[in-house]
Amino acid sequence: MPSEPLSQKEIEDRLRELPGWSLADNRIQRTYHLGSHLAASALVAHIAVVQDELDHHSDLTLGYDTVRLSVNTHSAGDAVTETDFALAERIEGLAPAHGAS
Ligand SMILES: C[C@H](O)[C@H](O)[C@H]1CNC2=NC(N)=NC(=O)C2=N1
């Protein structure tokens, strides 16, 4: 899926529809809090499946009961693109089933 860099305004508009997500260092990011380390690990595994399906991959950091992720699009010069938001929306859709907040 070709994806062009989004403007600052486009990014801010899209972020308004994604509570918990923010922009930092040309990446969109969110930290999820879970009930246990195993729950956090399961969320990472689930996100990995979706990322391979979309062929778009975030940087993921697994903590004790947290999952932090950030993403931009390498092929667009490490800019934020619509593909990053498509991934974020997919993750938002699956995270609640893991008890993530
Ligand atoms: C060959 C493969 O399609 C590319 O390397 C994909 C894989 N995952 C990716 N992930 C991210 N975040 N940006 C990319 O440009 C990207 N490109």
Side-chain angles (χ1 to χ4, degrees):
M1 182 199 309
S3 216
E4 298 299 316
L6 296 176
S7 70
Q8 184 78 19
K9 182 181 184 312
E10 287 170 325
I11 294 169
E12 286 166 6
D13 288 348
R14 297 291 266 106
L15 282 173
R16 239 169 262 126
E17 290 153 29
L18 281 176
W21 288 79
S22 60
L23 178 69
D25 297 328
N26 268 353
R27 310 175 69 85
I28 55 169
Q29 62 176 25
R30 176 167 183 175
T31 299
Y32 290 102
H33 300 266
L34 294 108
S36 68
H37 188 57
L38 283 182
S41 303
L43 176 61
V44 168
H46 198 168
I47 290 171
V49 171
V50 169
Q51 293 187 153
D52 262 5
E53 183 190 317
L54 298 180
D55 193 25
H56 200 66
H57 304 83
S58 65
D59 287 1
L60 283 162
T61 304
L62 173 64
Y64 163 56
D65 59 0
T66 59
V67 174
R68 180 182 183 281
L69 64 103
S70 71
V71 63
N72 62 16
T73 302
H74 315 313
S75 59
D78 285 329
V80 176
T81 69
E82 193 56 46
T83 310
D84 301 310
F85 281 101
L87 175 61
E89 283 167 1
R90 283 291 297 274
I91 294 169
E92 284 293 292
L94 65 84
H98 291 267
S101 59

